[in-house]
Amino acid sequence: MSEGGKSRSGWWPSTLRARLFLILFAGLAVAYGLSFSILFAERYMSAKAVMLGTLESDLATSIAVIDRLPANERAEWLDRLSRGSYRLVLGPGLAGVPDLSGRGAEIAERIEEAAGKRFPLRVEAIPGDGKRLQGHLTLSDGSPLTIDVTPRGVMPLAEWLPYVFAAQMVLLILCTWFAVHQAVRPLGALAAAADALDPNKKGSSPLSESGPSEVADAARAFNAMRDRIAHYLEERVQILAAISHDLQTPITRMRLRADMAEDTPEKDKLVSDLREIERLVQDGIAYARSSHRNDEKTSRIDLASFIDSIAYDYQDTGKAVTVAGIAQGTAVTKPHALRRILTNFVDNAIKFAGAAEISVERKGEGAIVITVLDRGPGIPDDKLEAAMQPFFRLETSRNRDTGGTGLGLAIAQQLAVSVGGAVRIYNRPGGGLGAEISLP
């Protein structure tokens, strides 16, 4: 038994396309074979009846003519009265055995009917000579006559018939493949659309609702589900934005009251907690805006100047941020969104490693990959994917004590979608983390 309690035979294909093709082709091939067999059997029986009827009538005529001819003229007429399936021979013929069965018995019965009751007849099979038969009879004047019968095939097959059969099988395969392709293609499109489902991605086209009614109904249901998911996500982000925005006013009042209070250790703790809450609220607003409010226009930037400006801003505040190599060329993107993504990467690197290094690499088809590298503790491999989720914090070094809210990478990922890019984080060989964004 395979996983999930389903048995899987070694010969049974695993894909729906192959299974449908096998079922349809096998069913059509069996049906075609049965039709061909029935037609062949019907033609065989018809040809057999015609052959036996012709043998009986021709043989009766030949015997009657030979019997009426003078004895000295019979030899001249033997070839004229013989046919393809039998030959007339004057004399007693060959010795045979009376053991007849199957088709031989049917032919013997027709020979007896052709001879009639006027001529005593004895039909024998010639041993060792296939289906050859000989009928021995005595004419009216007492002369012996032998009827040498060599039955031919009832219905010979034409030489072109195997080629026609092969062409029909090829046509059957092509038609079956086309039918399966038409049936499975919508499922492939639905699977691809489900795999690429991203309700937050702007400008993504819905699944085509054309085709048969069942396919169109499934596509409409999928598009409706996609719209509902997008609506739920938008509602979630709007709630987060509303709560974060509404919290700013009471936080500000509390900050003012705390600043007016007497200097005590409790005041310092209160102010620290308020700063942390304010930072969390600001990050929540930033996450909400990155999800649905990034209306920044795209523009062309010089990569070298852009990356150097980010590094210089950190260096001016005494942070160890360097640029690896020289970033050549330009890129068309949203500058403020890209800057926010890279600053989130750099902030994380400085927070957990104390230093950061920025590198730019061009890959095939003009793609640009900007990577921020550090030599910090990294992230466990089984938690790399979860680290991109909102409010995710590790229980070890990347926790609230370091000042993080768990929204930095989530905001970077949302902004990357808005600029048409993709974010990836990975552990570096030898320790440390790499955070990269790929731009088209």
Side-chain angles (χ1 to χ4, degrees):
M1 296 291 289
S2 63
E3 187 177 1
K6 296 181 179 180
S7 61
R8 178 173 295 178
S9 177
W11 62 271
W12 189 242
S14 59
T15 63
L16 178 61
R17 184 188 302 272
R19 291 182 180 184
L20 286 177
F21 180 84
L22 183 61
I23 293 172
L24 288 176
F25 179 74
L28 291 174
V30 170
Y32 177 76
L34 289 175
S35 301
F36 185 82
S37 300
I38 293 173
L39 178 62
F40 185 85
E42 191 275 333
R43 289 188 60 188
Y44 177 86
M45 289 185 292
S46 299
K48 179 181 176 181
V50 172
M51 188 273 293
L52 292 177
T54 302
L55 174 65
E56 180 182 350
S57 60
D58 289 349
L59 192 55
T61 302
S62 299
I63 295 174
V65 172
I66 286 291
D67 184 62
R68 286 173 171 78
L69 286 172
N72 58 349
E73 297 181 9
R74 290 172 180 170
E76 300 176 3
W77 285 83
L78 291 179
D79 291 338
R80 300 177 187 180
L81 297 176
S82 297
R83 297 291 183 266
S85 57
Y86 66 87
R87 186 170 57 90
L88 299 179
V89 180
L90 295 175
L94 302 175
V97 294
D99 185 15
L100 300 175
S101 60
R103 187 178 175 190
E106 292 180 332
I107 295 176
E109 182 180 354
R110 294 305 178 107
I111 295 174
E112 292 174 355
E113 292 178 1
K117 300 185 181 299
R118 292 180 54 196
F119 309 104
L121 177 69
R122 183 180 78 258
V123 181
E124 296 176 338
I126 304 303
D129 202 359
K131 299 179 180 179
R132 185 181 177 187
L133 304 175
Q134 282 193 348
H136 307 284
L137 56 83
T138 303
L139 298 175
S140 301
D141 60 358
S143 300
L145 177 67
T146 299
I147 305 170
D148 193 341
V149 181
T150 305
R152 293 185 176 182
V154 175
M155 188 177 60
L157 295 177
E159 295 181 357
W160 48 264
L161 188 60
Y163 299 101
V164 173
F165 181 78
Q168 290 174 332
M169 295 306 295
V170 171
L171 181 62
L172 181 62
I173 292 174
L174 292 177
C175 292
T176 304
W177 176 86
F178 181 75
V180 171
H181 178 71
Q182 292 295 316
V184 175
R185 184 176 60 178
L187 294 179
L190 180 62
D195 187 59
L197 177 63
D198 187 359
N200 287 329
K201 189 174 182 179
K202 304 299 182 182
S204 58
S205 57
L207 185 63
S208 174
E209 298 179 2
S210 60
S213 58
E214 296 83 359
V215 175
D217 292 341
R220 279 192 291 270
F222 178 84
N223 290 331
M225 178 191 69
R226 178 179 177 274
D227 294 338
R228 286 196 298 270
I229 294 175
H231 179 69
Y232 295 152
L233 291 177
E234 186 174 0
E235 280 188 346
R236 184 194 69 174
V237 174
Q238 288 177 349
I239 292 173
L240 174 62
I243 295 175
S244 300
H245 182 271
D246 293 343
L247 283 175
Q248 285 185 311
T249 300
I251 290 174
T252 302
R253 290 200 300 264
M254 295 172 67
R255 283 284 304 275
L256 290 174
R257 291 169 183 169
D259 291 339
M260 296 173 61
E262 297 181 358
D263 293 335
T264 60
E266 286 74 14
K267 173 185 175 181
D268 295 337
K269 294 179 181 179
L270 178 61
V271 171
S272 177
D273 289 340
L274 288 174
R275 287 175 180 171
E276 183 177 350
I277 296 174
E278 188 175 15
R279 189 163 51 247
L280 179 61
V281 170
Q282 291 174 350
D283 285 347
I285 295 175
Y287 177 72
R289 288 175 177 173
S290 68
S291 297
H292 291 281
R293 295 185 183 178
N294 188 17
D295 298 328
E296 181 186 357
K297 303 297 182 181
T298 58
S299 61
R300 185 178 297 276
I301 62 172
D302 180 77
L303 286 174
S305 302
F306 185 80
I307 300 298
D308 288 341
S309 66
I310 296 177
Y312 291 155
D313 289 343
Y314 281 98
Q315 292 171 3
D316 290 342
T317 59
K319 304 294 177 58
V321 178
T322 59
V323 179
I326 300 176
Q328 299 290 347
T330 61
V332 178
T333 184
K334 298 179 179 181
H336 295 295
L338 181 58
R339 180 178 290 272
R340 178 63 185 270
I341 295 170
L342 294 178
T343 53
N344 281 3
F345 289 166
V346 173
D347 289 342
N348 280 340
I350 293 175
K351 189 181 302 178
F352 303 115
E357 182 182 42
I358 307 175
S359 68
V360 181
E361 180 183 4
R362 283 191 178 273
K363 294 189 176 180
E365 299 182 358
I368 301 170
V369 178
I370 306 176
T371 308
V372 177
L373 305 170
D374 66 53
R375 286 297 180 184
I379 298 176
D381 290 336
D382 59 343
K383 295 184 178 180
L384 284 173
E385 184 177 355
M388 305 299 296
Q389 301 300 318
F391 302 106
F392 176 82
R393 299 185 185 90
L394 292 174
E395 297 298 329
T396 56
S397 62
R398 296 177 185 256
N399 53 32
R400 186 171 299 188
D401 295 336
T402 62
T405 60
L407 286 174
L409 292 176
I411 293 173
Q413 186 177 42
Q414 294 288 355
L415 291 174
V417 173
S418 70
V419 301
V423 168
R424 183 175 75 96
I425 57 176
Y426 58 91
N427 288 307
R428 301 177 62 190
L433 192 71
E436 70 176 30
I437 175 172
S438 301
L439 299 175

